[in-house]
Amino acid sequence: MKGVWVIIKSIFKFIQGLGTTALGLLVIVLLVGIYAAGNRDARPTVPSGAVMVLWPYGSIVEQAEYPDPLAEVFTDFNRVPPQTSIHDILRSLERAKDDDRIKAVAVLTDSMFGAAPSHLHAIAAAIRDFKTSGKKVYAISSAYTQGTYMVAAQADKVYMNPFGSVMLTGFGSYPNYFKDMLDKIEANVNVFRVGTYKAAVEPYIRNDMSPAAKEANMAFLTSLWDQYEASVTEARGLEPGTLSADMLSVNEDLRAAGGDFAQLALNNGLVDELAPRAGWRQALMDEYGSTPDGTSFNQIHFQAYLAATDRPNHKANEIAVITAQGEIVMGEGPVSVSAAETLVGHIRDARNNPNTAAILLRVDSPGGSVFASELIRQELVAAQEDGLKVIASFGPVAASGGYWISATADEIWAAPSTITGSIGIFGIVPTFERTLEKVGIHTDGVGTSPLAGAFNITRPMSDGAKDIMQQSIEAGYSQFLGLVARGRNMSVEDVDKIAQGRVWVGSKALELGLVDNLGDFGDAVKAAAKAAEVDDYNVVFYREQPDQFDQMLASLLNSSLGDDFDGLSGRQMSPLMQTALDIKNEAEKFFRFNDPDARYAVCFVCKVAD
């Protein structure tokens, strides 16, 4: 897609250079004029008595990437998966709760690709809070996945298509293992690690999950499932443990329902009514009125509602939100990764902004490069030395490097379902001397010392080089323990007992002293304001902004850049294609390691499958 965009931009530059400068200026003026005319009075209006349609599109993330403005024109070239920011969902529900123009919320989940447990719990909590206003919430879907059903279960009424299903399977962690593949190409994977439970390297040295990893993973997965089941059974008025019992008897129960998954969901009390689209649409039209053309119920999409209700704020104090999302890597990068130079730049901008009252580090990262993690943490320490309070707020995952960057924050807040800990370090240096020999390529030469070429991946590692790496990893682990001990006011020995690379859920991390409080993003914002001793403040998200020319072209082409919604269902990827993509992404991690010291703090099992 970027290649197409470069071509289009080149065409515009070519036009500007044709014949005279006047021709180029004329084209630009014309485009600006069209843009200005199209954006006059562009703010949507909120209909009276409307139903706010909460229709998340794609994956739920902390910060959504800005899509390419030509994506809707050249859809065949668009390979960026759609995303919806969790903060947009939560803000819309919070505003609509006290807005008299909004009479109900309809939650549609057909286009929602997936969300981590803590994001699901956050949406569920926001829906429960909305319902305290006395307004109704309706869940509507063709079918429900385990993730989308937890959101739907909070509704006053759950609709489902008669051909639909509610698939509850429990949580699992099933990584792919590559030892045999690496053996086939005769790659020599040199691994250095510290921590009994540091299983991140296992996919490269084993064909299965180790007993220690199974023990640790089963513990946190069980905690996540207990939280999920408690949320759903309480919302639906079911007995505790009902979901687990139903999964054990699903074969017999499905047979009793004649093999009909929809009827099974109805029999088990998971849905309230089986209805085709025309049925639930007419029910909402009868209750809340119709659109001007009479084709659907009186409504406004939640993104349009946010656009309609956004108002500029010019308060003196700002809580600066720095989002660390995705793998932690060196260099610069988009919001999908925690690129060290990008995040350091945002932190420095917040430090130098006289309006910044406090920094809130929002983390959804399994970690990555130790060096990159330390660069980010050092910049946060510099902010603290400038007198700014730093509050860490954990989203779905804050493990390994994600915990490293947060360890010395003034306070750490986590959700009960946050996956955190994984305090451990490993090093991985693959060498391909045998792979190259198979195709007739050999490496030889001389050096001025035994270390010359010691880390050349075309040569085997010497015992001396391996010893250097192991010492470095052990020193890095000691540094990690020291950071946590200092930041959490614990002894190094006590940290080591709960470290060793083991993963914990947020509720257990609180018991162990790895986090200070349990709460959501809003709780962490209030804590940051309290720490900064301010009552009146704005919450400001630091992130890269789209190019102004891209914004203009997006409006001309009716592309969204994250602000509009076309009302179409998302195109779900087939299970086979999703599996192939997962394997490809996991294999590529092996080649993306770019830490200057080859040291990594990353959790590969922190992605939970539902």
Side-chain angles (χ1 to χ4, degrees), residues 55-119:
W55 195 336
Y57 191 63
S59 299
I60 308 301
V61 297
E62 289 292 323
Q63 286 187 339
E65 290 188 73
Y66 291 119
D68 192 298
L70 295 179
E72 293 184 11
V73 178
F74 298 99
T75 53
D76 289 341
F77 295 91
N78 183 28
R79 292 294 181 264
V80 178
Q83 299 172 335
T84 297
S85 168
I86 181 68
H87 301 291
D88 285 351
I89 294 173
L90 302 183
R91 282 191 300 128
S92 67
L93 287 166
E94 182 181 19
R95 289 184 192 176
K97 174 186 174 183
D98 298 318
D99 191 333
D100 292 337
R101 296 170 296 179
I102 300 297
K103 296 302 181 183
V105 164
V107 182
L108 281 73
T109 60
D110 278 338
S111 302
M112 187 170 148
F113 290 1
S118 77
H119 281 162

Side-chain angles (χ1 to χ4, degrees), residues 54-56 60 86 89-90 93 105-110 112 114-128 131 137-141 144-158 166 168 228 231-232 235-236 270 610:
L54 184 61
W55 195 336
I60 308 301
I86 181 68
I89 294 173
L90 302 183
L93 287 166
V105 164
V107 182
L108 281 73
T109 60
D110 278 338
M112 187 170 148
S118 77
H119 281 162
L120 294 173
H121 282 286
I123 299 171
I127 291 174
R128 291 194 298 270
K131 287 168 61 177
V137 176
Y138 302 87
I140 301 165
S141 184
Y144 295 100
T145 64
Q146 183 167 275
T148 60
Y149 182 71
M150 192 177 85
V151 173
Q154 315 303 317
D156 295 285
K157 188 165 186 176
V158 180
V166 180
L168 304 183
Y228 178 98
S231 175
V232 169
R236 294 297 298 169
L270 300 181
D610 61 11

Side-chain angles (χ1 to χ4, degrees), residues 146-460:
Q146 183 167 275
T148 60
Y149 182 71
M150 192 177 85
V151 173
Q154 315 303 317
D156 295 285
K157 188 165 186 176
V158 180
Y159 286 102
M160 188 173 73
N161 193 283
F163 268 65
S165 63
V166 180
M167 294 301 295
L168 304 183
T169 59
F171 290 124
S173 176
Y174 299 97
N176 295 300
Y177 293 82
F178 302 94
K179 181 180 183 301
D180 277 355
M181 183 201 75
L182 293 169
D183 286 346
K184 287 182 187 299
I185 65 172
E186 297 196 29
N188 189 8
V189 182
N190 301 280
V191 169
F192 312 89
R193 61 174 169 173
V194 181
T196 304
Y197 299 97
K198 197 61 187 173
V201 297
E202 288 189 354
Y204 311 117
I205 61 175
R206 296 178 62 98
N207 289 319
D208 59 359
M209 188 178 289
S210 69
K214 287 183 177 180
E215 173 196 344
N217 296 344
M218 192 62 188
F220 85 79
L221 290 170
T222 299
S223 295
L224 289 178
W225 176 252
D226 289 345
Q227 292 175 22
Y228 178 98
E229 186 167 28
S231 175
V232 169
T233 53
E234 183 178 353
R236 294 297 298 169
L238 303 172
E239 289 295 320
T242 295
L243 302 186
S244 295
D246 286 347
M247 284 192 295
L248 294 177
S249 62
V250 65
N251 294 78
E252 292 78 8
D253 293 344
L254 182 59
R255 189 170 290 108
D260 187 335
F261 277 107
Q263 188 61 47
L264 176 65
L266 193 62
N267 293 347
N268 288 345
L270 300 181
V271 301
D272 297 302
E273 185 176 336
L274 303 178
R277 293 179 180 179
W280 56 256
R281 186 179 290 116
Q282 187 59 54
L284 293 180
M285 290 171 66
D286 293 342
E287 184 72 21
Y288 300 101
S290 303
T291 53
D293 61 6
T295 60
S296 190
F297 57 92
N298 185 22
Q299 62 183 270
I300 183 170
H301 187 268
F302 80 103
Q303 293 283 20
Y305 176 71
L306 285 175
T309 55
D310 272 340
R311 295 291 183 272
N313 260 319
H314 303 291
K315 297 174 182 176
N317 300 309
E318 295 178 356
I319 305 299
V321 179
I322 310 295
T323 302
Q325 176 176 258
E327 290 181 67
I328 299 176
V329 297
M330 296 292 290
E332 298 182 345
V335 297
S336 56
V337 295
S338 297
E341 296 303 330
T342 299
L343 291 187
V344 165
H346 291 332
I347 298 167
R348 187 177 297 122
D349 288 344
R351 281 177 54 205
N352 295 328
N353 182 351
N355 293 330
T356 301
I359 291 177
L360 193 152
L361 177 68
R362 179 66 173 178
V363 184
D364 180 14
S365 172
S369 163
V370 168
F371 202 120
S373 299
E374 178 61 8
L375 289 176
I376 296 166
R377 192 197 67 83
Q378 287 173 0
E379 196 65 28
L380 291 168
V381 169
Q384 290 171 302
E385 291 173 347
D386 287 346
L388 292 171
K389 294 293 184 181
V390 174
I391 309 299
S393 170
F394 291 172
V397 179
S400 293
Y403 192 85
W404 181 298
I405 64 178
S406 315
T408 51
D410 294 290
E411 289 181 38
I412 297 179
W413 288 73
S417 56
T418 293
I419 300 172
T420 188
S422 191
I423 299 169
I425 288 181
F426 70 90
I428 186 165
V429 181
T431 61
F432 299 95
E433 67 279 2
R434 293 181 302 178
T435 309
L436 294 172
E437 286 174 2
K438 288 185 70 172
V439 295
I441 299 175
H442 305 275
T443 301
D444 194 15
V446 294
T448 58
S449 80
L451 287 179
F455 300 99
N456 185 331
I457 64 171
T458 67
R459 303 178 65 235

Side-chain angles (χ1 to χ4, degrees), residues 490 498 505-515 518:
M490 301 168 67
I498 58 176
V505 295
S507 54
K508 187 64 177 179
L510 178 65
E511 295 178 21
L512 298 174
L514 291 176
V515 304
L518 294 182

